[in-house]
Amino acid sequence: MGRIRYAVLALALSTQTAATQEQMMELDPEWEFVADTVMGGVSEGEIEQVTLDGRAAMRLHGAVSLENNGGFIQMAFDMPQGGEWAGIEIDLRGNGAQYEVRLRTDELSRPWHSYRAVFDTSGEWQTLRLPWAAFERNKTDVPFDPARLRRMGVLAYGAEMQADIAVASVRYFK
């Protein structure tokens, strides 16, 4: 899949101007599913590759429960450092609910430490542009340093809900 995706990306990039190529870097996430069950919660969900409206995407869906001090499901991936970039752009489609993007750096020592940006979905495809300044510290005093990035997650968090969100692409922008 990585080679096919790379070939399609290379073809798409060849039609762009050099200035545009320098302004974006497409990421190739290897998503994994994580839920509050790692801490005793009972939320349930899964990720799956889907095609929605003709777009290939990774879909996170399931039931978020607050029982047993739980409250999240997420899809996450390890990412390259983003020090030279201004932020991330994500093409996504949600079910009208509120979700979060969380970033982690190699400076964070606890699993609950992160930098987060909360956003609403519309039920339609949208491009979410998040400059680094949009991320606020979550349970940490460590300042955010994009040069130390190591992980990104898309979460359904903090409320009883039926989560359903799909991500078609993630990229850095300048």
Side-chain angles (χ1 to χ4, degrees):
M1 169 111 169
R3 289 184 185 168
I4 294 170
R5 185 179 230 178
Y6 179 78
V8 171
L9 176 62
L11 178 61
L13 287 176
S14 69
T15 63
Q16 296 177 354
T17 65
T20 302
Q21 289 179 36
E22 293 172 7
Q23 301 299 314
M24 301 272 184
M25 182 177 96
E26 190 79 23
L27 302 178
D28 188 15
E30 290 187 30
W31 295 102
E32 52 187 89
F33 177 79
V34 182
D36 57 21
T37 54
V38 299
M39 304 177 318
V42 296
S43 298
E44 297 179 346
E46 66 178 348
I47 60 173
E48 63 180 334
Q49 279 209 276
V50 296
T51 301
L52 298 171
D53 301 328
R55 297 181 80 168
M58 186 61 74
R59 177 181 174 218
L60 168 70
H61 60 100
V64 178
S65 171
L66 300 179
E67 291 181 37
N68 278 0
N69 296 317
F72 76 90
I73 60 173
Q74 77 169 314
M75 59 183 181
F77 71 97
D78 294 332
M79 61 192 309
Q81 295 176 339
E84 68 213 49
W85 302 97
I88 55 173
E89 265 188 6
I90 307 167
D91 294 331
L92 56 86
R93 187 176 99 177
N95 59 352
Q98 190 172 78
Y99 295 90
E100 293 185 11
V101 171
R102 289 203 183 175
L103 302 176
R104 291 187 47 78
T105 67
D106 60 11
E107 296 177 294
L108 301 179
S109 59
R110 304 284 187 226
W112 51 85
H113 294 172
S114 66
Y115 308 94
R116 69 179 177 181
V118 178
F119 63 94
D120 295 311
T121 59
S122 66
E124 302 294 324
W125 283 104
Q126 62 193 82
T127 298
L128 184 65
R129 188 176 185 108
L130 297 169
W132 298 138
F135 290 89
E136 57 187 41
R137 293 180 211 175
N138 183 47
K139 301 179 182 176
T140 183
D141 290 330
V142 177
F144 178 67
D145 180 358
R148 309 288 300 259
L149 271 173
R150 70 174 185 84
R151 196 154 173 86
M152 180 187 126
V154 175
L155 292 83
Y157 174 79
E160 299 268 343
M161 68 182 290
Q162 287 297 315
D164 195 350
I165 185 166
V167 175
S169 65
V170 179
R171 61 196 158 272
Y172 285 131
F173 70 86
K174 285 192 177 183

